Amino acid sequence: MGKLKRFLLIGSVTMVILATLLVLIGAYWSQRLVDTPLQVTEQPVLFEVMSGMHAKSVLQKLQQQGLWHHSSDVSYLASRVWANPQHLQAGVYQLQPGQTLTQFWQQLAAGRQHQFAITLVEGQTLSQWLSLLQSHDYLKPIDLAPENLGEAIAGASAVKSLEGLLAPDTYHFFAATPALEILRKAYATQQERLQSVWQDRALDLPYTEPYELLIMASIIEKETGLSGERDVVSSVFVNRLRTGMRLQSDPTTIYGIKDFDGNLTRAHLRESTPFNTYRIDGLPPTPIAMPSLASLRAAAHPATTDYFYFVADGSGGHVFSRTLEEHNRAVNRYQRGMN
């Protein structure tokens, strides 16, 4: 073999070896790239993938939000080789500290979206709940007129008002869930709770239907936040209903006052409204808040007492009385500061 041929052969082998080394180095480096953690340092970060986005545009958005500091073009090529970023699902995802680019693509392909939670608090009103739902960034707002809301949630059921008919609880959802769906779940849950409690209620209660028990539960919910008092408060109102006394509940009266400013006056107590239980007999026409399961149970199982009155004791609880004379003494002591 001549020297030239030998030189050319050695040169060709060398080029092949160099090319192979470059390919191996490139493969190694690109694999290291997709195994690099995202720039999520201490706390999880929410990241939204819009419908129609592909891997390269997702990488560009990661860069824009400071979550990825490498070239989107190179990262895209490396991802195509090692991570196969296909079939990415739109949604909002929670990125964790230490999560690699490969794990990120796997998360998007599997559609493992972040699950949000919203707590609808007992004792609040429908109006308060609607404000909370409408203001949530990741819920689709309700675009129905108030008069159509009941039918949309309860279906063909005839409801006087949705007040009280929705269950306080923590509800979980994915981004872009309609707020109406949360309310439908809350309605179904409250129906189940109410029917279960109604079937298990004490005998001889002064209610003719579950809805009346629901109304009472809402009053109990507004009157006390102490779990140990609910059944006693319930007994006061049951005793009053049984003897024909008016409920005289401040929360019911307040519910019927438009634009209540927080100051309940004697004029308010004299005002004739469907909810002023100082002026009407029996129960108000609808619940006045969303009652918890505990208050439903208290309405269904009042304590056995001979109490007809109670007054706040200033520490979150109440003093219960059998007679008006006892009650007046309690009012003087705890409300007026008179011994």
Side-chain angles (χ1 to χ4, degrees):
M1 181 182 296
K3 291 182 178 181
L4 179 59
K5 288 183 178 180
R6 186 179 298 112
F7 177 77
L8 292 174
L9 178 60
I10 293 171
S12 297
V13 171
T14 302
M15 291 297 292
V16 169
I17 292 172
L18 288 174
T20 303
L21 285 173
L22 288 173
V23 169
L24 292 174
I25 291 170
Y28 172 78
W29 183 85
S30 63
Q31 186 175 28
R32 287 290 301 271
L33 182 61
V34 296
D35 288 338
T36 300
L38 303 176
Q39 299 298 311
V40 182
T41 54
E42 297 180 357
Q43 298 295 328
V45 174
L46 293 180
F47 181 82
E48 185 170 8
V49 176
M50 308 299 292
S51 179
M53 291 183 74
H54 53 78
K56 195 168 184 179
S57 60
V58 170
L59 283 165
Q60 291 169 345
K61 187 172 181 180
L62 284 172
Q63 284 183 317
Q64 292 167 4
Q65 295 187 5
L67 299 172
W68 187 248
H69 294 166
H70 301 278
S71 164
S72 59
D73 292 329
V74 174
S75 300
Y76 174 68
L77 292 174
S79 296
R80 288 289 301 270
V81 173
W82 296 106
N84 189 30
Q86 302 294 319
H87 310 296
L88 308 181
Q89 299 186 40
V92 174
Y93 296 85
Q94 187 177 70
L95 312 185
Q96 302 292 334
Q99 182 175 350
T100 66
L101 183 59
T102 296
Q103 291 170 335
F104 172 70
W105 293 131
Q106 293 170 347
Q107 182 182 15
L108 268 57
R112 295 194 294 270
Q113 298 183 48
H114 176 64
Q115 194 173 59
F116 294 89
I118 190 167
T119 300
L120 302 179
V121 179
E122 63 269 14
Q124 292 186 346
T125 63
L126 175 64
S127 175
Q128 290 173 303
W129 281 15
L130 290 178
S131 295
L132 179 64
L133 291 169
Q134 295 289 69
S135 66
H136 199 288
D137 291 338
Y138 292 101
L139 280 172
K140 284 185 179 178
I142 298 168
D143 58 0
L144 291 173
E147 59 269 21
N148 298 326
L149 194 57
E151 183 178 354
I153 292 171
S157 303
V159 296
K160 302 175 186 177
S161 165
L162 283 174
E163 199 73 86
L165 288 169
L166 309 175
D169 212 330
T170 297
Y171 295 90
H172 296 86
F173 61 94
F174 296 116
T177 295
L180 205 61
E181 186 176 315
I182 303 294
L183 293 182
R184 288 194 180 107
K185 289 180 182 178
Y187 177 78
T189 300
Q190 194 76 322
Q191 287 296 300
E192 292 174 3
R193 291 177 180 178
L194 181 58
Q195 291 304 318
S196 175
V197 167
W198 178 256
Q199 293 299 324
D200 188 47
R201 70 191 184 279
L203 299 177
D204 300 325
L205 292 177
Y207 315 127
T208 60
E209 59 178 355
Y211 192 69
E212 291 182 346
L213 186 146
L214 182 69
I215 294 172
M216 178 57 71
S218 75
I219 299 173
I220 296 167
E221 192 70 60
K222 295 297 291 184
E223 288 283 6
T224 183
L226 297 182
S227 58
E229 280 192 352
R230 287 190 177 97
D231 61 341
V232 183
V233 169
S234 179
S235 76
V236 170
F237 290 128
V238 165
N239 290 341
R240 282 176 168 253
L241 288 174
R242 283 172 173 162
T243 57
M245 290 179 65
R246 288 177 175 170
L247 297 183
Q248 296 183 319
S249 168
D250 290 353
T252 65
T253 304
I254 290 169
Y255 186 82
I257 300 171
K258 186 177 181 180
D259 300 323
F260 180 64
D261 63 3
N263 181 32
L264 186 63
T265 66
R266 290 185 180 274
H268 288 140
L269 300 182
R270 291 193 296 267
E271 187 177 350
S272 181
T273 76
F275 291 89
N276 186 356
T277 52
Y278 286 87
R279 297 292 305 275
I280 66 168
D281 297 328
L283 296 166
T286 73
I288 61 170
M290 303 298 183
S292 61
L293 179 58
S295 289
L296 287 171
R297 288 171 173 164
H301 294 277
T304 302
T305 75
D306 52 1
Y307 295 137
F308 285 86
Y309 305 89
F310 60 88
V311 64
D313 62 8
S315 64
H318 294 84
V319 175
F320 296 87
S321 302
R322 297 169 177 80
T323 67
L324 182 58
E325 183 180 4
E326 289 179 5
H327 177 63
N328 287 336
R329 287 199 298 267
V331 170
N332 287 335
R333 179 177 179 181
Y334 293 100
Q335 298 292 308
R336 298 171 184 161
M338 301 167 57
N339 293 325

